[in-house]
Amino acid sequence: MKKALVIGGGFAGCSAAHLLSLQGGWDITVVESGPWLGGGCKTLWYGGHPYTFGPRHFLTQNVPVFDYLNKYCPLRRCNDHVFLTYVEKDAQFYNYPIHIDDVARMPEKDQINKELTEAKQLNGAGAAKDFEEYWLASIGRTLYDKFVNTYSKKMWMLDDNKVMDDFSWSPKGVALKEGPRQAWDTAISAYPIAPNGYDDYFEIATRAEGVKVLWTTIEQYDLPNKTVVIDGEKRTYDAIINTASPDLVMDNAFGELPYIGRDFIKFVLPIAHAFPKDVYFLYYASDEPFTRLVEYKQFTRINYDAESTIIGMEIPSKNGRYYPLPLKTEYERAQKYFDAMGENVFSIGRCGSYQYRVDVDDCIAQAMDSVEKLK
Ligand SMILES: Cc1cc2nc3c(=O)[nH]c(=O)nc-3n(C[C@H](O)[C@H](O)[C@H](O)COP(=O)(O)OP(=O)(O)OC[C@H]3O[C@@H](n4cnc5c(N)ncnc54)[C@H](O)[C@@H]3O)c2cc1C
């Protein structure tokens, strides 16, 4: 039996443990330092309603990943929903991604159309060197100021969007949308059917053959030698799949990796439905301190007819390490950590791979990829 250590029992860690178990021949230890499995995707309850810290809905273009999760955690397809962004200057909600049909409703429509024609002629988004240049070249100044400029500074707690010099995660190709209003008409959008969301999957994954969970903290890390100290005991493994921030598990050797955190507020309203039928999220692009509201009933369909509804509000803050900053310098720092980790050590998940664009489906895809390499 080969021995594997999985650091962290969030989506990435649970998927890795489960997939290793399915591969067979592994004795797998998951170390979880928090109070539950599933990390940020754990379902909590308030006022009789299930909710998570942020939406955590399942969105993917990867059919094998969808099929895998759907097998162990039956999912309800919800491709019907649209996203709206509130623009205070216009006192209007508009579709997001920005939809060409909405331009006609905007006070500066003539100016916007002129800028869009110029952007099309220049066709310069592909050559953009930073986040701001990309958006200006894609949609022009007026739409950028309306939807992206303030939102992005708020989201990343930055004064200048030009410092974000990697924009490969931004919705390229859908900077300006035409056709269906549904944001994700080319992807699978889904949510667990079970009232407790993904939680049963985390249990299935960690009760699989050969998997055990240690609810503890690792005292010392030596990833290049695939060795850690747990409860005073030195343990060496054949493989390690890490899902914690690379700086944390590598003794900060190349310096701290920066993150943006989130404050989260949930509240119950005495009304059956707060948002229109096809709206699940709302984004706020102006000076409000929050970025997003989610009406969970829309996703969960649990207590859908109840006379109250639960809303979650996300406020960017320095609390927690949730959003790796999309800065080239920090990606380079993260790469130094990955290069130093050694053979058969994989670092996956949102913090583990230090990639903001890593969502739930990517966590599973990364776990599949790592486990495949361990065959
Ligand atoms: C507010 C918010 C909303 C989001 N909404 C969506 C969405 O709608 N759709 C989507 O696809 N993605 C969404 N995401 C992203 C997605 O949820 C994450 O990519 C995914 O959950 C990351 O899983 P993970 O296992 O990498 O990390 P986590 O969920 O953070 O889990 C990590 C686990 O490891 C444990 N841990 C950490 N360090 C250690 C250590 N040193 N030792 C032992 N255990 C440790 C933690 O306690 C935790 O349980 C959202 C993210 C945020 C922050």
Side-chain angles (χ1 to χ4, degrees):
M1 260 322 210
K2 289 174 290 179
K3 291 200 299 174
L5 171 69
V6 177
I7 304 172
F11 227 111
C14 286
S15 304
H18 187 230
L19 291 160
L20 276 174
S21 162
L22 292 179
Q23 191 178 88
W26 289 96
D27 175 25
I28 306 142
T29 303
V30 178
V31 175
E32 171 53 59
S33 60
W36 56 56
L37 294 167
C41 294
K42 159 86 177 161
T43 294
L44 305 165
W45 292 81
Y46 185 68
H49 299 286
Y51 73 96
T52 43
F53 186 109
R56 317 281 182 160
H57 86 301
F58 189 73
L59 178 71
T60 195
Q61 309 232 359
N62 189 329
V63 175
V65 163
F66 174 82
D67 289 343
Y68 162 75
L69 186 62
N70 193 36
K71 182 170 173 191
Y72 299 99
C73 175
L75 299 163
R76 179 183 77 83
R77 294 286 290 267
C78 53
N79 272 69
D80 54 329
H81 69 97
V82 299
F83 298 145
L84 298 182
T85 289
Y86 180 65
V87 177
E88 162 61 9
K89 191 166 159 280
D90 299 0
Q92 283 291 341
F93 284 97
Y94 297 118
N95 285 281
Y96 195 83
I98 305 165
H99 199 285
I100 190 76
D101 292 350
D102 282 348
V103 172
R105 292 201 286 130
M106 295 177 191
E108 316 89 336
K109 57 178 176 297
D110 294 339
Q111 175 65 19
I112 293 170
N113 281 323
K114 191 167 150 264
E115 289 170 3
L116 287 175
T117 309
E118 282 165 11
K120 222 179 225 166
Q121 281 162 358
L122 287 171
N123 197 18
K129 286 186 293 301
D130 63 55
F131 179 90
E132 182 167 291
E133 249 185 51
Y134 168 76
W135 281 99
L136 286 176
S138 304
I139 57 174
R141 167 63 64 182
T142 310
L143 285 178
Y144 172 73
D145 283 342
K146 230 185 245 306
F147 288 91
V148 183
N149 195 357
T150 309
Y151 180 87
S152 172
K153 287 177 191 158
K154 171 164 70 176
M155 162 87 190
W156 296 107
M157 301 180 81
L158 293 169
D159 297 327
D160 183 358
N161 286 330
K162 287 196 208 62
V163 300
M164 286 198 287
D165 47 8
D166 189 297
F167 50 87
S168 52
W169 47 268
S170 72
K172 275 189 174 177
V174 286
L176 186 69
K177 200 170 183 304
E178 296 177 16
R181 285 169 68 238
Q182 284 74 16
W184 306 116
D185 56 319
T186 58
I188 299 169
S189 179
Y191 202 83
I193 292 166
N196 58 353
Y198 303 103
D199 291 4
D200 291 345
Y201 166 71
F202 304 134
E203 291 297 327
I204 290 169
T206 51
R207 284 187 189 163
E209 204 179 327
V211 183
K212 64 173 173 298
V213 181
L214 289 184
W215 297 94
T216 187
T217 309
I218 294 171
E219 287 140 33
Q220 277 176 42
Y221 297 92
D222 178 4
L223 263 52
N225 289 310
K226 293 188 273 300
T227 299
V228 295
V229 176
I230 300 173
D231 292 336
E233 187 195 327
K234 203 168 175 178
R235 303 176 184 215
T236 300
Y237 296 87
D238 298 295
I240 295 182
I241 298 184
N242 167 57
T243 71
S245 187
D247 51 355
L248 196 143
V249 296
M250 294 286 285
D251 289 331
N252 264 313
F254 305 107
E256 193 176 314
L257 290 164
Y259 288 83
I260 298 301
R262 276 290 177 278
D263 290 334
F264 179 78
I265 297 173
K266 83 269 181 198
F267 47 91
V268 171
L269 295 176
I271 186 170
H273 296 282
F275 296 178
K277 192 171 159 287
D278 55 355
V279 176
Y280 293 28
F281 305 0
L282 294 175
Y283 286 99
Y284 286 79
S286 311
D287 287 333
E288 324 71 8
F290 47 95
T291 46
R292 181 163 61 183
L293 298 186
V294 179
E295 185 172 17
Y296 290 95
K297 273 166 88 170
Q298 304 280 53
F299 282 118
T300 65
R301 301 284 150 154
I302 307 302
N303 295 330
Y304 195 66
D305 299 321
E307 286 175 4
S308 62
T309 189
I310 183 166
I311 308 288
M313 174 190 277
E314 291 160 67
I315 305 169
S317 79
K318 296 280 182 191
N319 294 329
R321 298 181 100 197
Y322 299 122
Y323 289 88
L325 271 169
L327 305 183
K328 195 167 165 241
T329 47
E330 301 308 329
Y331 286 162
E332 283 166 3
R333 189 191 304 279
Q335 191 57 48
K336 285 188 191 163
Y337 282 112
F338 303 139
D339 292 344
M341 281 182 184
E343 212 189 338
N344 288 344
V345 180
F346 301 90
S347 199
I348 66 168
R350 184 175 272 196
C351 294
S353 57
Y354 197 70
Q355 292 279 340
Y356 162 66
R357 65 165 171 248
V358 168
D359 275 341
V360 167
D361 63 324
D362 303 297
C363 289
I364 298 173
Q366 289 178 334
M368 285 176 166
D369 193 44
S370 308
V371 167
E372 181 65 26
K373 287 184 181 140
L374 286 171
K375 253 186 186 163

